[in-house]
Amino acid sequence: MGWDNPRLDGTAQLAREGGARGTSSGALYTAEERRRRDESVWTTIQGVLAPLQFLVFLISLVLVIRFLMSGEGAGAADISVVIKTLTLYTIMITGSVWEKVVFDRWLFAPAFFWEDVFSMLVLALHTLYLVMLFGGFGSVEARMIVALAAYAAYVINAGQFLLKLRAARLQAAPNNTVAA
């Protein structure tokens, strides 16, 4: 199966399904999905966890880079990556619940297909770090390089979600405009 397979292409599926299942405008959410999104406590939880995770990421990034540049603070860097990974797992679990509430799918809803696919890479890299740490595999430097790879993937994934958030706001903007 290639990446151009329409079954794997969330964009093609979105287009076939008229955006988010049933909209003719190619919109991200149907009216019902938007209502469920706006009424869900999980939307608020995601809104709190995302910036918290970003803050944890920034602190951890500094500690990892500090270790790689100076050789000092490996323990602090390890602890920070573990905390970052736990926040990632938390946001992934609550995000999956959010997706189930809004789109009636635990993951890979057409509107967030590629974000979820890339999230799996982010999870895999963070999990690899934990396996290296707790399994004693590789050097500390190798583990920190894996952390940096995980963080690079996280930044890309966060960018995907920010673009999707912007698209949702743009979609909602015409609906919020009052005619003069």
Side-chain angles (χ1 to χ4, degrees), residues 173-180:
N175 299 334
N176 294 333
T177 307
V178 178

Side-chain angles (χ1 to χ4, degrees), residues 64-129:
V64 168
I65 290 172
R66 176 180 168 245
F67 168 76
L68 287 171
M69 293 181 73
S70 72
E72 296 177 16
D78 278 331
I79 290 168
S80 74
V81 178
V82 170
I83 292 169
K84 166 63 174 77
T85 303
L86 292 174
T87 61
L88 173 68
Y89 286 161
T90 301
I91 202 167
M92 287 300 300
I93 291 166
T94 58
S96 181
V97 173
W98 175 87
E99 227 169 299
K100 179 66 173 166
V101 168
V102 174
F103 297 107
D104 198 30
R105 287 190 182 192
W106 289 104
L107 281 172
F108 305 111
F112 286 91
F113 181 84
W114 287 111
E115 291 81 2
D116 287 349
V117 167
F118 210 81
S119 291
M120 295 303 114
L121 172 64
V122 175
L123 278 171
L125 288 167
H126 280 77
T127 302
L128 175 59
Y129 180 92

Side-chain angles (χ1 to χ4, degrees), residues 1 3 38 65 68 76 86 117 127 140 145 156 158 160 162 165 168:
M1 257 189 254
W3 285 107
D38 293 347
I65 290 172
L68 287 171
L86 292 174
V117 167
T127 302
V140 176
I145 296 298
I156 292 167
Q160 288 178 299
L162 288 174
L165 179 61

Side-chain angles (χ1 to χ4, degrees), residues 6-100:
R7 291 183 47 191
L8 294 178
D9 185 352
T11 307
Q13 189 171 356
L14 267 173
R16 275 197 320 278
E17 295 180 0
R21 289 187 310 264
T23 64
S24 59
S25 65
L28 189 59
Y29 300 97
T30 65
E32 179 60 22
E33 290 165 346
R34 187 175 19 262
R35 182 193 62 74
R36 288 193 302 259
R37 178 201 69 192
D38 293 347
E39 292 176 358
S40 175
V41 67
W42 297 105
T43 301
T44 302
I45 290 169
Q46 290 298 105
V48 170
L49 287 176
L52 175 65
Q53 180 182 206
F54 190 73
L55 177 63
V56 170
F57 154 74
L58 289 176
I59 293 167
S60 183
L61 180 63
V62 167
L63 292 171
V64 168
I65 290 172
R66 176 180 168 245
F67 168 76
L68 287 171
M69 293 181 73
S70 72
E72 296 177 16
D78 278 331
I79 290 168
S80 74
V81 178
V82 170
I83 292 169
K84 166 63 174 77
T85 303
L86 292 174
T87 61
L88 173 68
Y89 286 161
T90 301
I91 202 167
M92 287 300 300
I93 291 166
T94 58
S96 181
V97 173
W98 175 87
E99 227 169 299
K100 179 66 173 166

